[in-house]
Amino acid sequence: MLRALIWDVDGTIAETERDGHRVAFNEAFKELGVPWRWDVPTYGYLLRVTGGYERLLFDMECRPQAPASASEREGMAQAVHRRKNERYAQMILSGAIKARPGVHRLMDECADAGITMAIATTTSRQNVEALLAQQVGPYWRDRFAAIVCSEDAPIKKPDPLAYRLALERLGVGAREALAVEDSPNGLAAAYALGIGTLITRSAYFRYEAFAGFAGICNDLDHPITWPIGTAPRTDVAVLRQVSEAWTHADTSYSREVLSDSTK
Ligand code: XBP
Ligand code: MG
């Protein structure tokens, strides 16, 4: 039975990757004299690496203009990432980035239906705070029984740690929860524990060939498809059907992954 809905943040609650973090990174590059920018396709490619700091280090590995020594690159990445987060918070607080369609509605419906909610994200507490306070309101924390951020789960998605902690803090089993995600890395993190994932495609993953999802849609107000059904939008009744179908799904692959990781 569905008891909890676990929300990813970036790309899922709002289009923060393309319109927020990427733009803020470019502003930080400019301010700190870093001689390159990330256009929309380049940032999409870099999203394979989770974590803004890690993403930056990964990109620098093949930038001839980047410092030669690892310690200099790390120093530069720390400074840029810090400034990026300041600019990101300012951008979010200005209200420039809104929640994606259906997010507020589904959160309200879950609260009314007694479905507990949590957050499992690879971004920082400060970035979550900025977005949720702006978009959900000053009492946003009251809506979530568990809030797992990069400080709690430093090993980032696709590692399942963030979801493992969310389940533990919620006190529910994998089959009693659904995840809402926008990216392959997020899906992999939830899938590794056997949690069913509802994919709400963000701009970067509109044409991604996802595999292993419990349900998929372009946004929560648009039609959703799951292995044994379709519906015009995602509401609590649909979440329950998706969860029920997932209960019967074959996730033997994830069990193999889990047993391998404990050897
Ligand atoms: C997505 C991420 C984050 C953001 C940037 O997180 O990978 O790294 O791109 O945030 P989510 P930071 O799990 O919410 O989709 O700069 O704080 O890493
Ligand atoms: Mg995401």
Side-chain angles (χ1 to χ4, degrees), residues 19-76:
D19 303 338
H21 293 293
R22 183 189 68 85
V23 176
F25 264 118
N26 283 333
E27 290 178 358
F29 290 154
K30 190 173 172 194
E31 281 179 33
L32 298 175
V34 177
W36 64 80
R37 304 289 179 265
W38 284 342
D39 61 18
V40 170
T42 301
Y43 194 75
Y45 167 76
L46 293 173
L47 278 180
R48 67 186 58 202
V49 179
T50 49
Y53 172 75
E54 293 84 347
R55 189 171 298 140
L56 191 47
L57 282 179
F58 171 81
D59 184 50
M60 277 199 262
E61 276 171 27
C62 54
R63 292 263 175 202
Q65 312 101 309
S69 82
S71 64
E72 273 181 278
R73 286 202 298 270
E74 282 164 17
M76 186 193 234

Side-chain angles (χ1 to χ4, degrees), residues 8-14 16-17 120-122 157 180-183 186 202 205:
D8 169 50
V9 174
D10 290 308
T12 295
I13 290 184
T16 46
E17 296 290 18
T121 176
T122 62
K157 301 172 189 175
V180 196
E181 277 284 356
D182 70 303
S183 72
S202 57
F205 302 108

Side-chain angles (χ1 to χ4, degrees), residues 50-213:
T50 49
Y53 172 75
E54 293 84 347
R55 189 171 298 140
L56 191 47
L57 282 179
F58 171 81
D59 184 50
M60 277 199 262
E61 276 171 27
C62 54
R63 292 263 175 202
Q65 312 101 309
S69 82
S71 64
E72 273 181 278
R73 286 202 298 270
E74 282 164 17
M76 186 193 234
Q78 279 164 12
V80 168
H81 191 240
R82 195 177 313 118
R83 186 64 190 133
K84 181 278 284 185
N85 283 334
E86 289 165 4
R87 287 296 301 124
Y88 177 80
Q90 288 165 357
M91 196 185 303
I92 294 297
L93 291 177
S94 76
I97 299 180
K98 306 280 182 232
R100 292 184 57 194
V103 167
H104 291 305
R105 174 185 57 74
L106 191 60
M107 285 183 180
D108 289 346
E109 288 175 8
C110 284
D112 291 346
I115 294 175
T116 307
M117 290 191 293
I119 283 175
T121 176
T122 62
T123 199
S124 64
R125 200 161 286 279
Q126 177 196 334
N127 288 345
V128 174
E129 168 79 39
L131 182 69
L132 275 289
Q134 221 291 330
Q135 288 299 304
V136 178
Y139 303 109
W140 69 273
R141 275 186 221 83
D142 299 346
R143 295 219 137 189
F144 299 96
I147 301 168
V148 180
C149 306
S150 61
E151 292 86 349
D152 312 286
I155 309 168
K156 298 183 178 178
K157 301 172 189 175
D159 189 280
L161 180 58
Y163 279 102
R164 198 188 303 279
L165 291 175
L167 290 181
E168 276 172 23
R169 293 179 189 181
L170 288 168
V172 303
R175 298 297 174 132
E176 295 175 308
L178 281 180
V180 196
E181 277 284 356
D182 70 303
S183 72
N185 280 328
L187 170 62
Y191 188 85
L193 300 179
I195 302 171
T197 298
L198 165 59
I199 295 291
T200 171
R201 293 177 179 276
S202 57
Y204 277 121
F205 302 108
R206 197 82 355 181
Y207 304 105
E208 184 75 24
F210 286 101
F213 55 82

